[in-house]
Amino acid sequence: MRDVRVVLIGGTSNTGKSTVAEAVAERLGFEHRSTDGLARHPGRPWRTPGHEVPPHVAEHYATLTTEELVASVLAHYERLWPRIEELVTAHARPGASGLVLEGSALWPERVARLAVPRTAAVWLTADDMVVRDRVRTAGRYAEATEGERLLMDRFLARTGRYQELMLEAVEALGLARVDAGDGRTPEELADAVLTAVAGQVRPGRPPGDRDRPFGTEGETFRPGRNGAPG
């Protein structure tokens, strides 16, 4: 890890990215940031103490199909990518502070194409049942109204479909992945992440895999095929 200055942690919602990224950042003495802080897509559609679901967020999940929800969030991530690339490049420069950046916006194909030195990447995944239980606990599903449950269920459908497409891309490209839903502590997951990124020459690529093709520049990725718009 001596030469790595930027660690990227991708994955769908509720896989523990933020908690694990914080632990990794503390280990390395790096700054910790989330892509959500750069520009927010409609957030999680459940009430928390002191926070009600905004009407536009409720309408977003109530009126769109699963595929439309996925297409919407992927389009948002596409628009956000230039800012992410700029942030990664700035922190990878010699003398800059180290960075652990986490978020669902770290789409595999885009990260794999990064030509930024001293940058490594890994994606967290978790079984759909694990994600479902975490969302339902956070949203107090058992106490929620029928309408509130519908919004949580729509969010879960989008989250599951996003992870399915993301995992297809990670596996097709041979990128690093860590199962975050097997009961390991944040500290143990931080160990696994650090092991996965150690020695990477290009983001997400295992050592010795530098020559694996990334795909054709300018290729368009769409939900249902590779899972991301171009």
Side-chain angles (χ1 to χ4, degrees):
M1 290 298 299
R2 179 180 60 187
D3 296 327
V4 173
R5 301 304 299 164
V6 178
V7 177
L8 305 175
I9 302 177
T12 196
S13 299
N14 290 276
T15 52
K17 297 185 303 297
S18 180
T19 301
V20 174
E22 185 175 356
V24 171
E26 184 175 356
R27 297 270 191 93
L28 299 176
F30 287 4
E31 179 183 350
H32 164 219
R33 295 185 64 174
S34 170
T35 59
D36 285 347
L38 300 177
R40 188 74 177 178
H41 192 259
R44 298 173 179 176
W46 56 82
R47 289 184 294 119
T48 57
H51 176 74
E52 295 293 328
V53 179
H56 74 280
V57 173
E59 181 180 8
H60 178 78
Y61 287 99
T63 59
L64 298 183
T65 66
T66 298
E67 293 301 322
E68 288 171 337
L69 289 171
V70 171
S72 174
V73 76
L74 288 175
H76 169 69
Y77 294 158
E78 181 183 14
R79 293 189 296 270
L80 187 58
W81 182 249
R83 298 180 62 185
I84 294 173
E85 191 168 14
E86 180 180 348
L87 180 64
V88 170
T89 301
H91 280 270
R93 292 190 180 111
S97 59
L99 173 69
V100 178
L101 179 66
E102 56 86 8
S104 300
L106 298 172
W107 189 256
E109 282 102 345
R110 295 194 183 97
V111 172
R113 285 190 172 87
L114 277 173
V116 182
R118 295 175 290 278
T119 302
V122 64
W123 283 263
L124 302 187
T125 59
D127 185 84
D128 287 345
M129 297 287 284
V130 172
V131 174
R132 185 202 66 181
D133 289 346
R134 289 175 179 174
V135 167
R136 288 186 173 183
T137 297
R140 299 181 180 181
Y141 192 87
E143 307 166 20
T145 66
E146 183 177 349
E148 291 170 334
R149 290 184 181 185
L150 173 64
L151 298 182
M152 279 184 266
D153 289 341
R154 292 284 179 84
F155 177 88
L156 281 167
R158 189 206 75 178
T159 296
R161 180 60 176 152
Y162 173 95
Q163 178 165 257
E164 180 183 352
L165 294 169
M166 182 203 78
L167 188 54
E168 287 178 4
V170 166
E171 292 181 343
L173 292 166
L175 303 178
R177 178 172 72 90
V178 169
D179 184 353
D182 61 358
R184 284 182 287 182
T185 66
E187 292 72 24
E188 290 170 332
L189 288 170
D191 287 338
V193 166
L194 290 170
T195 297
V197 302
Q200 290 185 9
V201 177
R202 301 185 74 167
R205 304 283 179 177
D209 199 25
R210 70 168 71 212
D211 296 325
R212 185 180 179 127
F214 281 23
T216 304
E217 285 297 328
E219 181 179 354
T220 298
F221 296 93
R222 299 188 184 282
R225 176 170 170 245
N226 299 91

